[in-house]
Coordinates of all heavy atoms in Angstrom, one line a residue:
D1 N 9.3 30.4 26.3 CA 10.8 30.2 26.5 C 11.5 29.4 25.3 O 12.5 29.7 24.9 CB 11.2 29.6 27.8 CG 10.9 30.7 28.9 OD1 10.8 31.9 28.6 OD2 10.8 30.3 30.1
D2 N 10.7 28.3 24.9 CA 11.2 27.5 23.8 C 11.4 28.3 22.5 O 12.3 28.1 21.7 CB 10.3 26.3 23.6 CG 10.5 25.3 24.7 OD1 11.4 25.4 25.5 OD2 9.5 24.5 24.9
L3 N 10.5 29.2 22.4 CA 10.5 30.0 21.1 C 11.7 30.9 21.2 O 12.4 31.1 20.2 CB 9.2 30.8 21.0 CG 9.1 31.9 19.9 CD1 9.2 31.0 18.6 CD2 7.8 32.7 19.9
H4 N 12.0 31.4 22.3 CA 13.2 32.3 22.5 C 14.5 31.6 22.4 O 15.6 32.1 22.0 CB 13.1 33.1 23.7 CG 11.9 34.0 23.8 ND1 11.7 35.1 23.1 CD2 10.8 34.0 24.6 CE1 10.6 35.8 23.3 NE2 10.0 35.0 24.3
E5 N 14.5 30.3 22.7 CA 15.8 29.5 22.5 C 16.1 29.3 21.1 O 17.2 29.0 20.8 CB 15.5 28.2 23.3 CG 15.5 28.3 24.8 CD 15.2 26.9 25.5 OE1 15.2 25.9 24.8 OE2 15.1 26.9 26.7
S6 N 15.0 29.2 20.2 CA 15.3 28.9 18.9 C 15.9 30.2 18.1 O 16.2 30.2 17.0 CB 14.1 28.4 18.2 OG 13.2 29.4 18.1
Q7 N 15.9 31.4 18.9 CA 16.5 32.6 18.2 C 17.6 33.1 19.1 O 17.7 32.8 20.3 CB 15.4 33.7 18.2 CG 14.2 33.3 17.4 CD 13.1 34.3 17.3 OE1 13.2 35.2 18.1 NE2 12.2 34.3 16.5
D8 N 18.6 33.8 18.5 CA 19.6 34.2 19.2 C 19.3 35.6 19.8 O 18.2 36.0 19.7 CB 20.9 34.4 18.3 CG 20.7 35.4 17.2 OD1 19.8 36.1 17.1 OD2 21.6 35.3 16.3
R9 N 20.3 36.3 20.4 CA 20.0 37.5 21.2 C 19.5 38.7 20.4 O 18.8 39.6 20.9 CB 21.1 37.9 21.9 CG 21.5 36.8 23.0 CD 22.6 37.1 23.8 NE 22.8 35.9 24.6 CZ 23.7 35.7 25.5 NH1 24.5 36.7 25.8 NH2 23.8 34.6 26.1
T10 N 19.8 38.7 19.1 CA 19.4 39.8 18.3 C 17.9 39.6 17.8 O 17.4 40.5 17.1 CB 20.4 40.0 17.1 OG1 20.3 38.8 16.3 CG2 21.7 40.3 17.6
G11 N 17.3 38.5 18.0 CA 16.0 38.3 17.6 C 15.9 37.6 16.2 O 14.7 37.4 15.7
T12 N 16.9 37.3 15.5 CA 16.9 36.7 14.2 C 17.1 35.2 14.4 O 17.6 34.7 15.4 CB 17.9 37.2 13.3 OG1 19.2 37.0 13.9 CG2 17.7 38.8 13.0
S13 N 16.7 34.4 13.5 CA 16.8 33.0 13.5 C 18.3 32.6 13.5 O 19.1 33.3 12.8 CB 16.2 32.3 12.3 OG 16.4 31.0 12.2
R14 N 18.6 31.6 14.2 CA 20.1 31.1 14.2 C 20.5 30.5 12.8 O 21.7 30.6 12.4 CB 20.3 30.0 15.2 CG 20.2 30.5 16.6 CD 20.5 29.4 17.6 NE 20.1 29.9 18.9 CZ 20.2 29.1 19.9 NH1 20.6 27.8 19.8 NH2 19.9 29.5 21.1
R15 N 19.5 30.1 12.1 CA 19.8 29.4 10.8 C 20.0 30.5 9.8 O 19.1 31.4 9.7 CB 18.6 28.5 10.5 CG 18.8 27.8 9.1 CD 17.7 26.9 9.0 NE 17.8 26.4 7.6 CZ 16.8 25.7 7.1 NH1 15.7 25.5 7.7 NH2 16.9 25.3 5.9
N16 N 21.0 30.4 9.1 CA 21.3 31.5 8.0 C 20.6 31.1 6.7 O 20.8 30.0 6.2 CB 22.8 31.5 7.7 CG 23.1 32.6 6.8 OD1 22.2 33.4 6.3 ND2 24.4 32.7 6.3
T17 N 19.6 31.8 6.4 CA 18.8 31.6 5.2 C 19.2 32.5 4.1 O 18.5 32.5 3.0 CB 17.3 31.6 5.5 OG1 17.1 33.0 6.0 CG2 16.9 30.6 6.5
N18 N 20.0 33.4 4.2 CA 20.4 34.4 3.2 C 21.4 33.8 2.3 O 22.6 33.6 2.7 CB 21.0 35.7 3.9 CG 21.1 36.7 2.9 OD1 20.9 36.6 1.7 ND2 21.4 37.9 3.4
C19 N 21.1 33.4 1.0 CA 22.0 32.8 0.2 C 23.0 33.7 -0.4 O 24.1 33.3 -0.9 CB 21.2 32.1 -1.0 SG 20.1 30.8 -0.4
S20 N 22.7 35.0 -0.4 CA 23.7 35.9 -1.0 C 25.0 36.0 -0.3 O 26.0 36.4 -0.8 CB 23.0 37.3 -1.2 OG 22.8 37.8 0.2
E21 N 25.0 35.7 1.0 CA 26.3 35.7 1.8 C 27.2 34.6 1.5 O 28.4 34.7 1.5 CB 26.0 35.7 3.3 CG 25.3 36.9 3.8 CD 24.9 36.8 5.2 OE1 25.3 35.9 5.9 OE2 24.2 37.8 5.8
T22 N 26.6 33.4 1.0 CA 27.4 32.3 0.7 C 27.9 32.2 -0.7 O 28.9 31.5 -0.9 CB 26.7 31.0 1.1 OG1 25.5 31.0 0.3 CG2 26.3 30.9 2.5
S23 N 27.3 32.8 -1.6 CA 27.7 32.8 -3.0 C 28.0 34.2 -3.5 O 27.2 35.1 -3.3 CB 26.8 32.0 -3.9 OG 25.6 32.7 -3.9
E24 N 29.0 34.3 -4.3 CA 29.4 35.6 -4.8 C 28.6 36.0 -6.1 O 28.2 37.1 -6.3 CB 30.9 35.7 -5.0 CG 31.7 35.5 -3.8 CD 33.2 35.5 -4.0 OE1 33.6 35.6 -5.1 OE2 33.8 35.2 -3.0
A25 N 28.5 35.0 -7.0 CA 27.8 35.1 -8.2 C 26.4 34.5 -8.2 O 26.2 33.4 -7.5 CB 28.6 34.6 -9.4
P26 N 25.4 35.1 -8.8 CA 24.1 34.4 -8.7 C 24.1 33.1 -9.6 O 24.8 32.9 -10.6 CB 23.2 35.4 -9.4 CG 24.0 36.3 -10.2 CD 25.4 36.3 -9.5
I27 N 23.3 32.2 -9.2 CA 23.2 30.9 -9.9 C 22.4 31.1 -11.2 O 21.3 31.7 -11.1 CB 22.5 29.9 -9.0 CG1 23.3 29.7 -7.7 CG2 22.3 28.5 -9.7 CD1 22.6 28.8 -6.6
P28 N 22.9 30.7 -12.3 CA 22.1 30.8 -13.6 C 20.8 30.1 -13.5 O 20.7 29.1 -12.9 CB 23.1 30.1 -14.6 CG 24.3 29.7 -13.9 CD 24.2 29.9 -12.5
A29 N 19.9 30.6 -14.2 CA 18.5 30.1 -14.2 C 18.5 28.6 -14.7 O 17.5 27.9 -14.3 CB 17.6 31.0 -15.0
T30 N 19.4 28.2 -15.5 CA 19.3 26.9 -16.1 C 19.8 25.9 -15.0 O 19.2 24.7 -15.1 CB 20.3 26.7 -17.3 OG1 21.6 27.0 -16.9 CG2 19.9 27.6 -18.4
T31 N 20.6 26.2 -14.0 CA 20.9 25.2 -13.0 C 20.2 25.5 -11.7 O 20.3 24.7 -10.8 CB 22.5 25.4 -12.8 OG1 22.8 26.6 -12.4 CG2 23.2 24.9 -14.0
N32 N 19.5 26.6 -11.5 CA 18.7 26.9 -10.4 C 17.4 26.2 -10.3 O 16.6 26.6 -11.1 CB 18.6 28.5 -10.2 CG 18.1 28.8 -8.8 OD1 17.7 28.0 -8.0 ND2 17.9 30.1 -8.7
P33 N 17.2 25.3 -9.5 CA 15.9 24.6 -9.4 C 14.8 25.5 -8.9 O 13.7 25.2 -9.1 CB 16.1 23.3 -8.6 CG 17.3 23.8 -7.7 CD 18.1 24.7 -8.5
F34 N 15.1 26.6 -8.3 CA 14.2 27.5 -7.8 C 13.7 28.6 -8.7 O 12.8 29.3 -8.5 CB 14.6 28.1 -6.4 CG 14.9 27.0 -5.4 CD1 16.2 26.8 -5.1 CD2 13.9 26.3 -4.8 CE1 16.5 25.8 -4.1 CE2 14.3 25.4 -3.8 CZ 15.6 25.1 -3.5
A35 N 14.4 28.6 -9.9 CA 14.1 29.7 -10.8 C 12.8 29.4 -11.5 O 12.1 30.3 -12.0 CB 15.3 29.9 -11.8
A36 N 12.5 28.1 -11.9 CA 11.3 27.8 -12.6 C 10.2 27.9 -11.6 O 10.2 27.7 -10.4 CB 11.5 26.3 -13.1
P37 N 9.0 28.3 -12.2 CA 7.8 28.3 -11.3 C 7.4 27.0 -10.9 O 7.4 26.0 -11.7 CB 6.7 28.9 -12.4 CG 7.3 28.6 -13.7 CD 8.7 28.5 -13.6
R38 N 7.2 26.9 -9.6 CA 6.9 25.6 -8.9 C 5.4 25.4 -8.9 O 4.7 26.3 -8.7 CB 7.6 25.5 -7.5 CG 9.0 25.7 -7.6 CD 9.6 25.8 -6.2 NE 9.4 24.5 -5.5 CZ 9.6 24.3 -4.3 NH1 10.0 25.3 -3.6 NH2 9.4 23.1 -3.7
P39 N 4.9 24.1 -9.1 CA 3.5 24.0 -8.9 C 3.0 24.2 -7.5 O 3.8 24.0 -6.6 CB 3.3 22.5 -9.3 CG 4.7 21.9 -9.1 CD 5.6 23.0 -9.3
K40 N 1.7 24.5 -7.4 CA 1.3 24.8 -6.0 C 1.1 23.5 -5.3 O 0.9 22.5 -5.9 CB -0.1 25.5 -6.2 CG 0.0 26.9 -6.7 CD -1.4 27.5 -6.8 CE -1.3 28.9 -7.3 NZ -2.6 29.6 -7.4
L41 N 1.3 23.6 -4.0 CA 1.2 22.5 -3.1 C -0.2 21.7 -3.2 O -0.2 20.5 -3.3 CB 1.4 22.8 -1.6 CG 1.4 21.7 -0.7 CD1 2.5 20.7 -0.9 CD2 1.6 22.2 0.8
G42 N -1.3 22.5 -3.3 CA -2.5 21.8 -3.5 C -2.6 21.0 -4.8 O -3.2 19.9 -4.8
D43 N -2.0 21.6 -5.9 CA -2.0 20.7 -7.1 C -1.3 19.5 -7.1 O -1.6 18.4 -7.5 CB -1.5 21.6 -8.3 CG -2.4 22.9 -8.6 OD1 -3.6 22.9 -8.3 OD2 -1.9 23.8 -9.2
F44 N -0.1 19.6 -6.4 CA 0.8 18.5 -6.1 C 0.1 17.4 -5.3 O 0.1 16.2 -5.7 CB 2.1 18.9 -5.5 CG 2.9 17.7 -5.1 CD1 3.7 17.0 -6.1 CD2 3.0 17.2 -3.8 CE1 4.5 16.0 -5.7 CE2 3.8 16.2 -3.4 CZ 4.6 15.6 -4.3
V45 N -0.6 17.9 -4.3 CA -1.3 16.9 -3.4 C -2.5 16.2 -4.2 O -2.7 15.0 -4.1 CB -1.9 17.6 -2.1 CG1 -2.8 16.8 -1.4 CG2 -0.6 18.1 -1.2
D46 N -3.2 17.0 -5.0 CA -4.3 16.4 -5.8 C -3.7 15.4 -6.8 O -4.3 14.3 -6.9 CB -4.9 17.5 -6.6 CG -5.8 18.4 -5.7 OD1 -6.1 18.0 -4.5 OD2 -6.2 19.5 -6.2
R47 N -2.6 15.7 -7.5 CA -2.0 14.6 -8.4 C -1.4 13.4 -7.6 O -1.7 12.3 -8.1 CB -0.8 15.3 -9.2 CG -1.4 16.2 -10.3 CD -0.3 16.6 -11.3 NE 0.9 17.0 -10.7 CZ 1.3 18.2 -10.4 NH1 0.5 19.2 -10.6 NH2 2.5 18.5 -9.8
L48 N -0.9 13.7 -6.4 CA -0.4 12.5 -5.6 C -1.5 11.7 -5.1 O -1.5 10.4 -5.1 CB 0.3 13.1 -4.5 CG 0.9 12.0 -3.6 CD1 1.9 11.1 -4.3 CD2 1.6 12.7 -2.3
E49 N -2.7 12.4 -4.7 CA -3.9 11.6 -4.3 C -4.4 10.7 -5.4 O -4.8 9.7 -5.2 CB -4.9 12.6 -3.7 CG -6.1 11.9 -3.2 CD -7.1 12.9 -2.6 OE1 -6.9 14.1 -2.7 OE2 -8.0 12.5 -1.9
T50 N -4.5 11.4 -6.6 CA -5.0 10.7 -7.7 C -4.2 9.5 -8.1 O -4.7 8.4 -8.4 CB -5.2 11.6 -8.9 OG1 -6.0 12.7 -8.6 CG2 -5.8 11.0 -10.1
A51 N -2.9 9.6 -8.1 CA -2.0 8.6 -8.4 C -2.0 7.4 -7.4 O -2.1 6.2 -7.8 CB -0.5 9.1 -8.6
L52 N -2.1 7.8 -6.1 CA -2.2 6.8 -5.0 C -3.6 6.0 -5.1 O -3.6 4.8 -4.9 CB -2.0 7.4 -3.7 CG -0.6 7.9 -3.4 CD1 -0.6 8.6 -2.0 CD2 0.4 6.7 -3.4
S53 N -4.6 6.7 -5.4 CA -5.9 6.1 -5.5 C -6.0 5.1 -6.7 O -6.5 4.0 -6.5 CB -7.2 7.1 -5.6 OG -7.0 7.8 -6.8
K54 N -5.3 5.4 -7.8 CA -5.2 4.6 -8.9 C -4.5 3.3 -8.6 O -4.8 2.2 -8.9 CB -4.6 5.2 -10.2 CG -5.5 6.2 -10.8 CD -4.8 6.9 -12.0 CE -5.7 8.0 -12.7 NZ -5.0 8.6 -13.7
C55 N -3.2 3.5 -7.9 CA -2.5 2.3 -7.4 C -3.2 1.5 -6.5 O -3.3 0.2 -6.7 CB -1.2 2.9 -6.7 SG 0.0 3.6 -7.9
L56 N -3.9 2.0 -5.6 CA -4.7 1.3 -4.6 C -5.8 0.4 -5.3 O -6.1 -0.6 -5.0 CB -5.2 2.2 -3.5 CG -6.0 1.5 -2.3 CD1 -5.2 0.5 -1.7 CD2 -6.5 2.5 -1.4
S57 N -6.5 1.2 -6.2 CA -7.6 0.6 -6.9 C -7.1 -0.6 -7.8 O -7.8 -1.7 -7.8 CB -8.3 1.6 -7.9 OG -9.2 1.0 -8.7
E58 N -5.9 -0.5 -8.5 CA -5.4 -1.6 -9.2 C -5.0 -2.7 -8.3 O -5.2 -3.9 -8.7 CB -4.2 -1.0 -10.0 CG -3.6 -2.1 -10.9 CD -2.4 -1.6 -11.7 OE1 -2.5 -0.3 -12.1 OE2 -1.5 -2.3 -12.0
Y59 N -4.3 -2.4 -7.2 CA -3.9 -3.4 -6.2 C -5.1 -4.2 -5.7 O -5.2 -5.4 -5.7 CB -3.2 -2.8 -5.1 CG -2.9 -3.8 -4.0 CD1 -1.9 -4.8 -4.1 CD2 -3.7 -3.8 -2.8 CE1 -1.7 -5.7 -3.1 CE2 -3.4 -4.7 -1.8 CZ -2.5 -5.7 -2.0 OH -2.3 -6.5 -1.0
R60 N -6.2 -3.5 -5.4 CA -7.4 -4.1 -4.9 C -8.0 -5.0 -5.9 O -8.5 -6.1 -5.6 CB -8.4 -3.0 -4.4 CG -9.7 -3.6 -3.8 CD -10.6 -2.5 -3.3 NE -11.8 -3.2 -2.7 CZ -12.7 -2.5 -2.1 NH1 -12.6 -1.3 -2.0 NH2 -13.7 -3.1 -1.7
S61 N -8.1 -4.6 -7.1 CA -8.6 -5.3 -8.2 C -7.9 -6.7 -8.3 O -8.5 -7.7 -8.5 CB -8.6 -4.5 -9.5 OG -9.1 -5.4 -10.5
Q62 N -6.5 -6.5 -8.4 CA -5.7 -7.8 -8.5 C -5.9 -8.7 -7.3 O -5.9 -9.9 -7.4 CB -4.2 -7.4 -8.6 CG -3.9 -6.7 -10.0 CD -2.5 -6.2 -10.0 OE1 -1.7 -6.4 -9.2 NE2 -2.1 -5.6 -11.2
A63 N -5.9 -8.1 -6.1 CA -6.1 -8.9 -4.9 C -7.4 -9.6 -4.9 O -7.6 -10.8 -4.6 CB -6.0 -8.1 -3.7
E64 N -8.5 -9.0 -5.3 CA -9.9 -9.6 -5.5 C -9.9 -10.7 -6.5 O -10.5 -11.7 -6.2 CB -10.9 -8.5 -5.8 CG -11.2 -7.6 -4.6 CD -12.2 -6.5 -5.0 OE1 -12.5 -6.3 -6.2 OE2 -12.7 -5.8 -4.1
D65 N -9.2 -10.4 -7.6 CA -9.1 -11.5 -8.6 C -8.4 -12.8 -8.1 O -8.9 -13.9 -8.2 CB -8.4 -11.0 -9.8 CG -9.2 -10.0 -10.6 OD1 -10.4 -9.9 -10.4 OD2 -8.6 -9.3 -11.5
A66 N -7.3 -12.5 -7.4 CA -6.5 -13.6 -6.8 C -7.3 -14.4 -5.8 O -7.4 -15.7 -5.7 CB -5.2 -13.2 -6.3
L67 N -8.0 -13.6 -4.9 CA -8.8 -14.3 -3.9 C -10.0 -15.1 -4.4 O -10.3 -16.1 -4.0 CB -9.3 -13.3 -2.9 CG -8.1 -12.7 -2.0 CD1 -8.7 -11.6 -1.1 CD2 -7.6 -13.8 -1.0
S68 N -10.6 -14.5 -5.5 CA -11.8 -15.2 -6.1 C -11.3 -16.5 -6.8 O -12.0 -17.5 -6.7 CB -12.5 -14.3 -7.0 OG -11.8 -14.1 -8.2
E69 N -10.1 -16.5 -7.4 CA -9.6 -17.7 -8.0 C -9.3 -18.7 -7.0 O -9.6 -19.9 -7.1 CB -8.3 -17.4 -8.9 CG -8.5 -16.6 -10.2 CD -7.3 -16.2 -10.8 OE1 -6.2 -16.7 -10.4 OE2 -7.3 -15.4 -11.8
H70 N -8.7 -18.2 -5.9 CA -8.4 -19.1 -4.7 C -9.7 -19.8 -4.1 O -9.7 -21.0 -3.8 CB -7.6 -18.4 -3.6 CG -7.3 -19.2 -2.5 ND1 -6.4 -20.3 -2.5 CD2 -7.8 -19.2 -1.2 CE1 -6.4 -20.9 -1.3 NE2 -7.2 -20.2 -0.5
L71 N -10.7 -18.9 -4.0 CA -12.0 -19.4 -3.4 C -12.6 -20.4 -4.3 O -13.2 -21.4 -3.9 CB -12.9 -18.3 -3.2 CG -14.3 -18.6 -2.6 CD1 -14.2 -19.3 -1.2 CD2 -15.1 -17.3 -2.5
A72 N -12.5 -20.2 -5.6 CA -13.1 -21.2 -6.7 C -12.3 -22.5 -6.6 O -12.9 -23.6 -6.6 CB -13.0 -20.7 -8.1
A73 N -11.0 -22.4 -6.4 CA -10.2 -23.6 -6.3 C -10.5 -24.4 -5.0 O -10.6 -25.6 -5.0 CB -8.7 -23.3 -6.4
V74 N -10.7 -23.7 -3.9 CA -11.0 -24.3 -2.7 C -12.4 -25.0 -2.7 O -12.6 -26.1 -2.2 CB -11.0 -23.3 -1.5 CG1 -11.6 -23.8 -0.2 CG2 -9.6 -22.9 -1.2
D75 N -13.4 -24.3 -3.4 CA -14.7 -24.8 -3.5 C -14.7 -26.1 -4.3 O -15.4 -27.1 -4.0 CB -15.7 -23.8 -4.1 CG -16.1 -22.7 -3.2 OD1 -16.0 -23.0 -1.9 OD2 -16.6 -21.7 -3.7
S76 N -13.9 -26.0 -5.4 CA -13.8 -27.3 -6.3 C -13.2 -28.4 -5.5 O -13.6 -29.6 -5.5 CB -13.0 -26.9 -7.5 OG -12.7 -28.1 -8.3
L77 N -12.2 -28.1 -4.8 CA -11.5 -29.2 -3.9 C -12.4 -29.7 -2.8 O -12.4 -30.9 -2.5 CB -10.2 -28.6 -3.2 CG -9.4 -29.5 -2.5 CD1 -8.8 -30.7 -3.5 CD2 -8.1 -28.9 -1.9
Q78 N -13.2 -28.8 -2.2 CA -14.1 -29.2 -1.2 C -15.2 -30.1 -1.8 O -15.6 -31.1 -1.2 CB -14.9 -28.0 -0.7 CG -15.9 -28.3 0.4 CD -15.3 -28.8 1.7 OE1 -14.1 -28.4 2.1 NE2 -16.1 -29.5 2.4
N79 N -15.7 -29.9 -3.1 CA -16.6 -30.7 -3.7 C -16.1 -32.1 -3.9 O -16.7 -33.2 -3.8 CB -17.1 -30.1 -5.0 CG -18.0 -28.9 -4.8 OD1 -18.6 -28.8 -3.8 ND2 -18.1 -28.1 -5.8
V80 N -14.8 -32.1 -4.4 CA -14.1 -33.5 -4.6 C -14.0 -34.2 -3.3 O -14.3 -35.5 -3.3 CB -12.7 -33.2 -5.4 CG1 -12.0 -34.4 -5.4 CG2 -12.9 -32.7 -6.8
Y81 N -13.6 -33.5 -2.3 CA -13.4 -34.2 -1.0 C -14.8 -34.8 -0.5 O -14.8 -35.9 0.0 CB -12.9 -33.1 0.0 CG -13.0 -33.7 1.4 CD1 -12.0 -34.6 1.9 CD2 -14.0 -33.2 2.3 CE1 -12.1 -35.0 3.3 CE2 -14.1 -33.7 3.6 CZ -13.0 -34.6 4.1 OH -13.1 -35.0 5.4
E82 N -15.9 -33.9 -0.5 CA -17.2 -34.4 -0.2 C -17.6 -35.6 -1.0 O -18.3 -36.5 -0.5 CB -18.2 -33.3 -0.2 CG -18.0 -32.2 0.8 CD -18.9 -31.0 0.8 OE1 -19.7 -31.0 -0.2 OE2 -18.8 -30.1 1.6
H83 N -17.3 -35.6 -2.3 CA -17.7 -36.7 -3.1 C -17.0 -38.0 -2.8 O -17.6 -39.1 -2.7 CB -17.4 -36.4 -4.7 CG -17.8 -37.4 -5.6 ND1 -16.9 -38.4 -6.0 CD2 -19.0 -37.7 -6.2 CE1 -17.5 -39.3 -6.9 NE2 -18.8 -38.9 -7.0
D84 N -15.6 -37.8 -2.5 CA -14.9 -39.0 -2.2 C -15.3 -39.5 -0.8 O -15.4 -40.8 -0.6 CB -13.4 -38.6 -2.1 CG -12.7 -38.3 -3.5 OD1 -13.4 -38.8 -4.5 OD2 -11.7 -37.9 -3.5
L85 N -15.6 -38.6 0.1 CA -16.0 -39.1 1.4 C -17.4 -39.8 1.4 O -17.7 -40.9 2.0 CB -16.3 -37.8 2.4 CG -16.7 -38.1 3.7 CD1 -15.6 -39.0 4.6 CD2 -16.9 -36.8 4.5
A86 N -18.3 -39.3 0.5 CA -19.6 -40.0 0.3 C -19.3 -41.4 -0.3 O -20.0 -42.3 0.0 CB -20.6 -39.2 -0.6
A87 N -18.4 -41.5 -1.3 CA -18.2 -42.8 -1.9 C -17.6 -43.7 -0.9 O -17.9 -44.9 -0.9 CB -17.2 -42.6 -3.1
L88 N -16.6 -43.3 0.0 CA -16.0 -44.2 0.9 C -17.1 -44.6 2.0 O -17.0 -45.8 2.5 CB -14.9 -43.5 1.6 CG -13.6 -43.3 0.8 CD1 -12.6 -42.5 1.5 CD2 -13.1 -44.7 0.4
T89 N -18.1 -43.7 2.3 CA -19.1 -44.0 3.3 C -19.9 -45.1 2.8 O -20.3 -46.1 3.5 CB -19.8 -42.8 3.7 OG1 -19.0 -41.8 4.2 CG2 -20.8 -43.1 4.8
L90 N -20.4 -44.9 1.6 CA -21.2 -45.9 0.8 C -20.5 -47.3 0.8 O -21.1 -48.3 1.1 CB -21.6 -45.4 -0.5 CG -22.5 -46.3 -1.3 CD1 -23.8 -46.5 -0.6 CD2 -22.6 -45.8 -2.7
E91 N -19.2 -47.2 0.4 CA -18.5 -48.6 0.3 C -18.3 -49.2 1.7 O -18.4 -50.5 1.8 CB -17.1 -48.3 -0.2 CG -16.2 -49.5 -0.4 CD -14.9 -49.1 -1.0 OE1 -14.5 -48.0 -1.2 OE2 -14.1 -50.1 -1.3
N92 N -18.2 -48.4 2.7 CA -18.0 -49.0 4.0 C -19.4 -49.5 4.6 O -19.4 -50.7 5.0 CB -17.7 -47.8 5.0 CG -17.4 -48.3 6.5 OD1 -17.0 -49.5 6.6 ND2 -17.3 -47.4 7.4
Q93 N -20.5 -48.9 4.2 CA -21.8 -49.4 4.6 C -22.0 -50.7 3.8 O -22.6 -51.8 4.4 CB -22.9 -48.5 4.3 CG -22.9 -47.3 5.2 CD -24.1 -46.3 4.9 OE1 -24.7 -46.5 3.7 NE2 -24.3 -45.3 5.7
T94 N -21.7 -50.8 2.5 CA -21.9 -52.0 1.7 C -21.0 -53.1 2.2 O -21.5 -54.3 2.4 CB -21.5 -51.7 0.2 OG1 -22.1 -50.6 -0.2 CG2 -21.7 -53.0 -0.7
L95 N -19.8 -52.9 2.6 CA -18.9 -54.0 3.2 C -19.5 -54.4 4.5 O -19.5 -55.6 4.8 CB -17.5 -53.5 3.3 CG -16.7 -53.3 2.0 CD1 -15.4 -52.7 2.2 CD2 -16.6 -54.6 1.2
R96 N -20.0 -53.5 5.4 CA -20.5 -54.0 6.6 C -21.7 -54.8 6.5 O -22.0 -55.8 7.2 CB -20.9 -52.7 7.5 CG -19.6 -52.0 8.0 CD -20.0 -50.8 8.9 NE -18.9 -50.1 9.4 CZ -18.5 -50.2 10.5 NH1 -19.0 -51.0 11.5 NH2 -17.3 -49.6 10.9
Q97 N -22.6 -54.5 5.4 CA -23.8 -55.3 5.2 C -23.4 -56.7 4.7 O -24.0 -57.8 5.1 CB -24.7 -54.7 4.1 CG -25.4 -53.5 4.6 CD -26.3 -52.9 3.6 OE1 -26.2 -53.1 2.4 NE2 -27.1 -51.9 4.0
R98 N -22.4 -56.8 3.8 CA -21.9 -58.1 3.4 C -21.4 -59.0 4.5 O -21.5 -60.2 4.4 CB -20.9 -57.9 2.3 CG -21.5 -57.5 1.0 CD -20.5 -57.5 -0.1 NE -21.0 -56.9 -1.4 CZ -20.3 -56.6 -2.4 NH1 -19.0 -56.8 -2.4 NH2 -20.9 -56.2 -3.5
L99 N -20.7 -58.3 5.4 CA -20.1 -59.1 6.6 C -21.1 -59.4 7.6 O -20.8 -60.0 8.6 CB -18.9 -58.3 7.2 CG -17.7 -58.2 6.3 CD1 -16.6 -57.3 6.8 CD2 -17.1 -59.6 6.0
G100 N -22.3 -58.7 7.5 CA -23.4 -58.9 8.5 C -23.0 -58.2 9.8 O -23.5 -58.6 10.8
M101 N -22.5 -57.1 9.7 CA -22.2 -56.2 10.9 C -23.2 -55.3 11.2 O -23.9 -54.6 10.8 CB -20.8 -55.5 10.8 CG -19.7 -56.4 10.7 SD -18.2 -55.5 10.4 CE -17.2 -56.0 11.8

């Protein structure tokens, strides 16, 4: 029934797709976008997929570079923190020994 609702009583689509009724003169080929041969959908999808995969690959590379730089900075900071903590622990032990605690 839904299929019949999309069509009128004569069995044709309600949407007018006949362009000749709306325009008296044909559209010149220079301004008609449909006059030029259009690429096939498969070719368009292939080019789109290739372009998107290149963009994704470039983004992933940049993200990995940024994350590896961040990890290197965090590791360096962790090493400095552990060195400072070891120095403070040693100084604390030395002071406790001098005070006899």
